[in-house]
Amino acid sequence: MRRRFVAGIFLLALLMVAAACTYAFWPRSPQSERGIAIQSAGDVPADVMADVREAAAGVSRLAAEAGVPLAHGVTLFVAPTQEDYERVLTQQFSHSEEEAAKISAISGGWTGGKQGKTALNGAAGVMQDRSGRMSTTAHELFHQLQYDLSHGNDAAEQALFWLEEGSADYVGALVAERCGGKSLHKWEQDTMFDLRRAQETVNAKELVHCSPQRRMQLMEKKYHSYQLADAMVICLVQKQAKGTELAAIVRYFQALADTRSGEEAFSKAFGMTHAQFLQEFQQWYVQERHLPFAAHVIARPGVSAALAADVKTQAAAVQPMLAGMYGQRLCGRYDLILAADAADFIQAIAENCAVTQDKARELATGSLWIQDGSTIIVQAGELGDGKQRIFSVDALCARLLETQVADKREESVAWLDRGMIYLAGIRALEQAGQGRYADYRRGWQQAVRRAGAVPSLEQLLTADGMREASESYGDDIVNELAEFAADELMTRFGWSSYRAYLQQVRRLGSEREAFREVYGRDTAAYARELELARTSRR
């Protein structure tokens, strides 16, 4: 049975929503000239400018369709570097150099409706792929429309901060979808994916009224303020009749023109009190956060319906076992996309992960699956027979559950990550009557003991190290060594120790620190112990 190297990418929505913001400028008469003038604030790559222009045109079309075309002229500055962005912030928005440095460190865009100016930070993570550039551009330009509709009251402290920012992200996702980027559906699922993994979030009530100073604080990624605002908007639009979602948001900002009270404008626009909505949102949010795992399996052309059904059945069947192993169940909705073969795998990655063909090809090399938030793309042609399929699907679900428990990892212990999800796959095989765990253990023990040369466990601490070792020693021995090392650790300390380890990773943010905390030794010391165990006769 083959064990394939698994790669994962998290093109995190959390970077997108936390990086885009607006700043409160008190109203004056808007510029009389209409339209969006796009200016380079440095040497901007052609593809970046093309994406920004397409997104700006998309916002203009969307506004026109909603019957609220942008009423004032906007100058959109595209800064290719952090330094260029800071210069725009000081020269065009009159920020001090210190303020500009703070803003540039946490934002992908900045908007002043009063001035009719918007700046994009081309160096920000949200601007590194086509879909991110489009959603960020649309987010910022929707702040300009908010200013128009509300006559400058959109960012007032009495307005609703969560609706201001969440609706901008909603429009950003809508425009990105229309322009061929990631779908609105994916944005919604990824938002909840991020929040389920969050170690800390603000309370929804903290996002109601915010001073400019508090807004800056809430932009810190650790609070997940923008993701929570997005979740509130997702809940809100689900309450609207299909096709009227944007119109309802527009009505809210129009109502702000007559009253500075966000609560009063909310009642006029949505036909319910803001207090009532907050209560309903809390109930909805708890349900969404703890929603049992549900896989929407999408079979691309060339993948049989029988295979898709088998994958869906296996993914559901393994959940009780994983919940027992990890001490919690996997939650949330996932899209599981099955690609027919290697070429289709690359194409599916490019289409669904907003990356170039070259990047998709790089990610696909040696990988059985790729993860982009709530979207999982699997090379179905490599799932093989029923035995291989059980192993692979369970290892995938184990990885998703590990990500849910503790995702923000630094100082990786890659051999343990891979070894544990493979052990979970072996447990699933045993549960399915496909062999005994003890027999599989005997197989990898014999393999690593008979091998003439194996990499040091310390070489396998990182994904790059694992990859280099596979190139030198072969995939099989690297995978068997990871299984051997993980199993020896579980034999000594028990499977419950791995649950404790993941909790410490979540708390500390470092896998190696968590390893020392739980196992009482560093990875180097354990590597020496394992080598003695490998070379000794039993």
Side-chain angles (χ1 to χ4, degrees):
M1 181 176 58
R2 289 174 296 171
R3 298 159 176 80
R4 295 291 304 277
F5 170 66
V6 179
I9 58 172
F10 293 91
L11 310 177
L12 294 181
L14 62 96
L15 293 174
M16 177 179 75
V17 294
C21 62
T22 187
Y23 186 78
F25 288 96
W26 303 118
R28 69 178 183 191
S29 298
Q31 297 177 12
S32 59
E33 183 182 351
R34 294 188 179 187
I36 302 170
I38 302 175
Q39 294 187 14
S40 299
D43 188 14
V44 182
D47 61 331
V48 174
M49 286 299 291
D51 293 340
V52 169
R53 291 184 188 281
E54 186 174 355
V59 171
S60 295
R61 285 193 299 272
L62 189 66
E65 291 169 12
V68 286
L70 196 60
H72 70 281
V74 174
T75 303
L76 174 58
F77 298 93
V78 185
T81 68
Q82 195 101 333
E83 293 75 15
D84 293 328
Y85 184 53
E86 290 181 19
R87 185 172 63 254
V88 171
L89 292 173
T90 56
Q91 294 179 356
Q92 301 297 331
F93 295 85
S94 300
H95 288 294
S96 68
E97 291 185 359
E98 182 180 359
E99 290 171 337
K102 289 180 180 178
I103 293 169
S104 68
I106 56 177
S107 73
W110 198 257
T111 288
K114 177 182 177 181
Q115 296 175 327
K117 294 177 181 179
T118 287
L120 296 175
N121 180 6
V126 292
M127 293 288 288
Q128 301 314 303
D129 64 75
R130 184 170 182 271
S131 191
R133 288 191 284 269
M134 289 181 170
S135 59
T136 303
T137 301
H139 173 114
E140 293 301 332
L141 290 176
F142 188 64
H143 282 318
Q144 295 285 358
L145 187 58
Q146 291 172 349
Y147 178 92
D148 264 3
L149 298 170
S150 67
H151 294 182
N153 290 333
D154 54 314
E157 192 168 337
Q158 297 92 331
L160 302 177
F161 170 73
W162 69 265
L163 189 47
E164 173 196 346
E165 291 299 337
S167 66
D169 274 340
Y170 172 78
V171 168
L174 192 59
V175 170
E177 178 182 62
R178 286 182 161 206
C179 293
K182 295 180 182 179
S183 69
L184 183 65
H185 161 78
K186 178 169 171 54
W187 171 74
E188 292 172 346
Q189 285 198 168
D190 282 353
T191 294
M192 294 311 303
F193 173 83
D194 291 335
L195 287 169
R196 288 187 192 97
R197 296 179 301 136
Q199 186 171 354
E200 178 183 2
T201 62
V202 295
N203 186 284
K205 293 181 179 179
E206 297 181 65
L207 302 180
V208 177
H209 302 303
C210 297
S211 66
Q213 294 77 15
R214 182 57 176 158
R215 286 166 176 260
M216 288 293 292
Q217 293 171 348
L218 290 173
M219 287 176 67
E220 292 187 40
K221 294 180 177 64
K222 66 178 182 179
Y223 296 123
H224 296 87
S225 306
Y226 285 70
Q227 287 92 339
L228 188 60
D230 291 350
M232 295 172 78
V233 168
I234 291 168
C235 177
L236 181 63
V237 299
Q238 287 178 1
K239 296 178 180 294
Q240 313 308 306
K242 188 172 180 60
T244 68
E245 300 91 345
L246 183 58
I249 292 171
V250 166
R251 286 197 304 272
Y252 164 77
F253 288 103
Q254 288 174 328
L256 276 179
D258 300 321
T259 174
R260 294 173 71 90
S261 168
E263 287 85 349
E264 185 177 339
F266 185 92
S267 296
K268 290 181 178 179
F270 299 105
M272 64 188 303
T273 67
H274 186 253
Q276 179 184 355
F277 170 74
L278 286 180
Q279 184 177 15
E280 293 182 6
F281 168 72
Q282 289 296 348
Q283 296 171 349
W284 176 89
Y285 184 56
V286 170
Q287 292 174 352
E288 284 292 317
R289 276 186 65 94
H290 298 95
L291 185 75
F293 169 78
H296 178 213
V297 179
I298 302 167
R300 287 171 66 89
V303 177
S304 71
L307 174 58
D310 190 35
V311 169
K312 186 177 182 70
T313 298
Q314 180 58 35
V318 78
Q319 296 307 313
M321 187 201 77
L322 291 178
M325 288 177 58
Y326 288 92
Q328 63 176 264
R329 67 182 184 179
L330 179 60
C331 296
R333 300 179 183 89
Y334 289 85
D335 287 337
L336 200 57
I337 302 171
L338 305 182
D341 52 32
D344 190 43
F345 188 42
I346 294 170
Q347 186 61 32
I349 294 170
E351 291 174 4
N352 291 277
C353 300
V355 296
T356 64
Q357 286 283 333
D358 287 344
K359 183 63 177 179
R361 190 173 295 106
E362 176 187 335
L363 291 168
T365 301
S367 301
L368 176 60
W369 77 73
I370 289 293
Q371 180 179 6
D372 179 12
S374 64
T375 304
I376 318 296
I377 305 168
V378 182
Q379 189 172 350
E382 294 292 331
L383 289 178
D385 59 15
K387 189 174 181 179
Q388 179 71 38
R389 199 171 303 156
I390 291 170
F391 174 85
S392 299
V393 172
D394 183 71
L396 166 59
C397 290
R399 183 68 185 99
L400 295 179
L401 187 48
E402 287 193 4
T403 298
Q404 177 180 295
V405 176
D407 179 52
K408 291 298 178 184
R409 303 179 177 189
E410 297 178 359
E411 293 189 307
S412 65
V413 185
W415 62 261
L416 183 56
D417 295 341
R418 187 184 299 186
M420 288 304 297
I421 66 172
Y422 282 2
L423 295 190
I426 298 296
R427 289 290 188 192
L429 286 172
E430 182 178 53
Q431 179 177 272
Q434 296 283 350
R436 296 170 59 244
Y437 184 90
D439 294 332
Y440 287 109
R441 171 191 281 150
R442 191 175 301 109
W444 66 62
Q445 286 177 342
Q446 291 175 351
V448 299
R449 284 176 175 149
R450 291 172 179 172
V454 300
S456 163
L457 208 57
E458 285 293 276
Q459 291 179 252
L460 309 183
L461 287 175
T462 66
D464 286 343
M466 296 282 280
R467 191 176 302 110
E468 291 168 4
S470 291
E471 292 171 356
S472 299
Y473 298 91
D475 285 337
D476 287 344
I477 194 63
V478 170
N479 291 332
E480 287 161 343
L481 182 60
E483 289 169 326
F484 177 63
D487 180 68
E488 284 285 318
L489 202 61
M490 296 306 102
T491 300
R492 296 188 199 181
F493 295 93
W495 284 73
S496 61
S497 71
Y498 191 63
R499 294 199 294 270
Y501 165 78
L502 290 175
Q503 291 298 330
Q504 289 300 319
V505 171
R506 182 181 181 89
R507 183 178 71 87
L508 298 170
S510 165
E511 293 189 9
R512 294 175 206 174
E513 285 186 35
F515 191 96
R516 284 191 293 269
E517 184 78 15
V518 173
Y519 298 112
R521 56 190 38 79
D522 62 20
T523 57
Y526 181 67
R528 292 191 293 271
E529 294 171 14
L530 188 77
E531 181 61 15
L532 287 174
R534 185 183 76 85
T535 55
S536 66
R537 291 184 177 273
R538 294 186 179 179

